[in-house]
Amino acid sequence: MSHSNRLGSNHANWVNGLRSDFSREFANRREEEELKENLVGPLVNNVDRVHWYIKDNAKLHHTIKFDQIHDSSSPKPVFRRGQTFYVAMRFRDRDFDLDTDRIILNFRFGPKPSVAKDTLIVLPIINKKFTKTKDEWDVRIDPGTRAKDLVLQVFIPATAPVGIWRLNIRSGLKDRSQGAGMAVYKDETDVFILFNPWCKEDLVYLEDDKDREEYVMNDKGKVYVGSFRKPRGRPWAFGQFEDVVLPVACYVLELSKYPHSERGNPVKVVRAISGGVNDIDDEGILVGRWDGEYGDGIAPFKWTGSVRILEEYLKGGFRPVKYGQCWVFSAVTTTICRALGIPCRSVTNYVSAHDTNSSLTIDKFFSKAGDEIEGGPDGENWDSIWNFHVWNDVWMARPDLPPGYGGWQAIDATPQEESENKMQCGPASLEAVRRGDIGLGFDCPFVFAEVNADVMHWGEDDESDWGYKRMKMIQFHIGRSNPEGSAAERLAIHNAIRGSKRAQIYYEYQENVKEDVKFDLIELESIFVGEPFKVKVVIRNESDEPRTVSAALTAKSIYYTGVHHFNHQKS
């Protein structure tokens, strides 16, 4: 006999009834307890409204240019951490009395504010002076307090998370015998808190006024494209103070899924921005495209500013905008960073390497017939050299690295190679790149190769252990972080090779071959479309013996990213 049969057919209904009764009784008891706890006595002073002194605070916080400050219908405060701001509240029932009224400010950040994680700030109104350290939020009663108006000065520590905060105000009585409950006033104003490059305690502090004006406040400039012989500046309107920018910047941080408690760390924030400006992982701002087919969107070269892109992103329900290329990704990144208070600049690297396998080299493989083997011997090598590539430098201290590696850091929002399973890049210390210290976070090997990679040509060889021998190494082709041919440059490469096992393997294939025959392909100043052209190759034998030379000369068209398009002729 089954267990259910032994208990009778009505047992299941009886158990379900018990569950329902127990749940209902428990809920009723808790509701009664909460009503008792929250019982607000007749003497509690309720908050009627809050005044943020938006424009006065903005002048002190260098945020007066933001459109949010001047919105006629719903202005919003924009503060920088590491400073104080003023806020006032008017009570509805009677004059404020410090001896009678118990007032607590709750600043809340993120969906699950927590005191332990510094995303829920609890500030009781007690003192007329600041009493805490600069590492903590603090509040004092301002002498301007009168009658029903309580005026406060609040200090934001220079480590506070950046983004949108909200304020709740709890009001009750200090004498609990007259009522233990507290009324809660929920202010619906979005409070933007930003990084502060004017504050010495902030990790993004930038000392020089001219630098702050250029890399934080300047809302227009140029992004350079073209070639190293013919660089060309594209005018760009960054527009970081426009109304659409701050909300989208905060949304991009949400895409990163970084804990809200870590959003005071500029290292994490710029890494999130580099991943959120492109669309690969999290439906970020821009779709990249390089094949010339832009019929279902806008061609990258037609954009002239960031604001229109961000407006399209917001109006389209946060669907990625089509299309961008490296200079567009970089310009939008500049806009987002400057809006959040991070000093930022767009940087163009001419003859820029794209190393796809962390060898620190740009490797080209050729068959015995002289044909390039696309993808290399294993089909996984797609190294290329771009005419130019544009990324960003951001300024910050790096307490996570050894001393001396702070300052400018490279980040790159153009989707190229994954980092920690996501299309993001940086921040990579420029000092680490200059020294070849590629073991430091983040993505230093990739950035180092962009500016320092040696170009290696490999040819099929049946006598080689792995089927290829190195035919040529070009050391002075890629854009450099140190002067070409300098001792500092070769030392940096030596240091970098020591930090990469794959690079050690590639540089070990010397084969004891002397490179005593030099080839010089004379570069053409210009080629006119549809017109024939001549190529001049100078071959110089620097040995004392005759040399037999086999050469293959191929003319092909490529995109500016170095990606092969079409073979025109081979001889």
Side-chain angles (χ1 to χ4, degrees):
M1 180 181 294
S2 69
H3 182 68
S4 59
N5 288 338
R6 284 191 287 107
L7 294 175
S9 59
N10 291 326
H11 180 260
N13 294 333
W14 180 72
V15 170
N16 288 334
L18 283 179
R19 290 173 180 166
S20 178
D21 292 342
F22 289 162
S23 297
R24 185 172 58 255
E25 291 172 3
F26 177 79
N28 290 339
R29 284 197 302 272
R30 285 293 178 267
E31 186 176 352
E32 291 175 2
E33 291 171 0
E34 289 177 5
L35 285 173
K36 291 178 181 178
E37 290 176 358
N38 295 322
L39 184 63
V40 178
L43 298 179
V44 167
N45 210 358
N46 290 276
V47 175
D48 184 54
R49 60 183 180 271
V50 172
H51 181 62
W52 288 98
Y53 299 101
I54 290 176
K55 289 187 178 180
D56 293 329
N57 283 317
K59 293 174 183 177
L60 298 174
H61 285 249
H62 306 280
T63 58
I64 194 66
K65 290 185 177 181
F66 281 98
D67 280 355
Q68 279 75 11
I69 302 297
H70 307 283
D71 190 321
S72 59
S73 60
S74 181
K76 296 175 176 60
V78 183
F79 302 138
R80 296 193 188 275
R81 63 187 197 173
Q83 287 185 229
T84 61
F85 67 87
Y86 289 92
V87 62
M89 60 203 68
R90 172 162 290 182
F91 292 97
R92 185 171 63 234
D93 304 292
R94 54 180 171 76
D95 292 352
F96 170 73
D97 186 338
L98 181 59
D99 295 326
T100 301
D101 294 317
R102 182 185 179 209
I103 308 298
I104 299 174
L105 306 184
N106 288 155
F107 287 94
R108 305 165 62 86
F109 184 63
K112 295 182 179 180
S114 165
V115 172
K117 296 180 178 180
D118 291 328
T119 55
L120 173 59
I121 308 303
V122 180
L123 294 176
I125 308 304
I126 301 173
N127 301 301
K128 296 183 179 181
K129 294 182 179 180
F130 290 124
T131 59
K132 299 180 181 179
T133 69
K134 286 190 174 183
D135 296 326
E136 301 175 273
W137 288 71
D138 203 355
V139 62
R140 72 176 185 89
I141 300 172
D142 188 80
T145 296
R146 296 285 187 279
K148 291 184 178 181
D149 294 329
L150 171 60
V151 182
L152 302 172
Q153 190 177 16
V154 179
F155 175 75
I156 311 171
T159 55
V162 300
I164 299 174
W165 290 71
R166 288 285 182 87
L167 171 64
N168 288 355
I169 303 171
R170 297 162 59 201
S171 57
L173 300 172
K174 289 186 175 179
D175 185 353
R176 305 294 181 87
S177 65
Q178 298 185 48
M182 299 192 75
V184 178
Y185 177 89
K186 296 182 178 181
D187 190 78
E188 298 299 325
T189 305
D190 288 340
V191 180
F192 291 92
I193 294 181
L194 312 180
F195 290 102
N196 191 351
W198 284 265
C199 174
K200 291 183 178 180
E201 286 75 29
D202 199 308
L203 291 176
V204 303
Y205 171 66
L206 193 57
E207 183 176 8
D208 189 86
D209 285 336
K210 292 182 179 178
D211 287 344
R212 286 195 295 261
E213 185 64 30
E214 176 64 27
Y215 301 125
V216 181
M217 302 300 289
N218 189 7
D219 59 359
K220 56 185 178 296
K222 289 184 177 181
V223 182
Y224 280 83
V225 297
S227 67
F228 77 99
R229 289 187 181 275
K230 294 183 179 180
R232 178 167 53 90
R234 294 181 64 94
W236 195 272
F238 297 116
Q240 66 266 35
F241 303 115
E242 298 289 325
D243 60 353
V244 71
V245 178
L246 269 184
V248 172
C250 293
Y251 178 76
V252 166
L253 298 186
E254 294 300 326
L255 292 180
S256 72
K257 300 180 179 63
Y258 278 128
H260 287 74
S261 58
E262 296 183 6
R263 297 185 191 180
N265 182 348
V267 172
K268 296 292 182 70
V269 169
V270 298
R271 192 157 172 79
I273 292 170
S274 76
V277 170
N278 70 72
D279 75 313
I280 299 299
D281 298 292
D282 299 309
E283 295 286 296
I285 297 171
L286 271 168
V287 180
R289 192 158 192 170
W290 286 266
D291 61 5
E293 301 295 331
Y294 310 121
D296 59 340
I298 296 176
F301 54 81
K302 289 190 175 181
W303 300 113
T304 59
S306 302
V307 173
R308 185 184 169 197
I309 294 171
L310 300 181
E311 287 177 343
E312 291 292 326
Y313 185 56
L314 192 148
K315 289 190 296 184
F318 296 95
R319 288 193 300 271
V321 177
K322 300 176 180 178
Y323 290 102
Q325 291 181 1
C326 64
W327 73 89
V328 185
F329 286 108
S330 173
V332 172
T333 298
T334 298
T335 298
I336 298 294
C337 287
R338 289 184 183 180
L340 291 174
I342 301 169
C344 182
R345 62 192 183 191
S346 289
V347 175
T348 302
N349 182 44
Y350 290 104
V351 193
S352 186
H354 180 181
D355 174 23
T356 60
N357 61 358
S358 301
S359 66
L360 307 184
T361 58
I362 299 302
D363 301 296
K364 301 291 184 182
F365 294 85
F366 298 89
S367 68
K368 292 178 181 179
D371 296 318
E372 184 174 350
I373 302 172
E374 298 289 339
D378 57 4
E380 297 294 330
N381 183 87
W382 298 98
D383 293 353
S384 60
I385 301 173
W386 298 30
N387 283 355
F388 69 92
H389 181 49
V390 189
W391 61 76
N392 295 84
D393 288 344
V394 288
W395 179 273
M396 66 186 67
R398 290 295 300 271
D400 57 315
L401 300 182
Y405 290 94
W408 289 112
Q409 317 284 315
I411 62 172
D412 195 344
T414 301
Q416 297 177 90
E417 299 297 320
E418 286 190 346
S419 173
E420 296 180 339
N421 301 313
K422 189 173 182 178
M423 282 295 183
Q424 58 189 356
C425 182
S429 165
L430 295 197
E431 184 62 21
V433 171
R434 189 184 69 80
R435 296 182 185 181
D437 292 335
I438 64 171
L440 302 177
F442 291 86
D443 306 308
C444 279
F446 183 79
V447 177
F448 179 88
E450 286 185 303
V451 296
N452 282 302
D454 288 334
V455 180
M456 291 192 178
H457 287 183
W458 303 86
E460 279 187 321
D461 185 356
D462 295 335
E463 297 181 4
S464 171
D465 293 338
W466 72 304
Y468 291 85
K469 71 175 181 180
R470 194 175 75 199
M471 300 187 300
K472 190 172 184 63
M473 181 171 72
I474 307 172
Q475 296 182 338
F476 310 126
H477 186 61
I478 303 300
R480 295 286 159 175
S481 59
N482 290 295
E484 287 188 359
S486 67
E489 179 204 34
R490 301 321 295 174
L491 179 60
I493 293 176
H494 175 72
N495 287 341
I497 292 170
R498 290 194 305 170
S500 170
K501 289 184 178 180
R502 185 180 290 270
Q504 291 170 19
I505 294 172
Y506 276 50
Y507 276 90
E508 278 178 0
Y509 280 99
Q510 298 292 338
E511 304 277 347
N512 294 320
V513 175
K514 291 183 178 180
E515 295 184 357
D516 52 18
V517 177
K518 304 297 183 181
F519 295 81
D520 190 6
L521 179 64
I522 306 302
E523 189 168 343
L524 300 177
E525 287 293 330
S526 60
I527 298 175
F528 296 98
V529 177
E531 296 293 326
F533 61 92
K534 293 182 179 180
V535 176
K536 182 179 180 180
V537 180
V538 177
I539 304 174
R540 186 170 61 255
N541 182 3
E542 296 185 345
S543 72
D544 297 327
E545 303 174 5
R547 292 285 186 256
T548 301
V549 175
S550 297
L553 186 62
T554 303
K556 63 175 68 175
S557 59
I558 60 175
Y559 295 104
Y560 87 91
T561 58
V563 175
H564 172 255
H565 175 59
F566 182 73
N567 279 344
H568 293 280
Q569 188 172 344
K570 177 185 174 184
S571 60

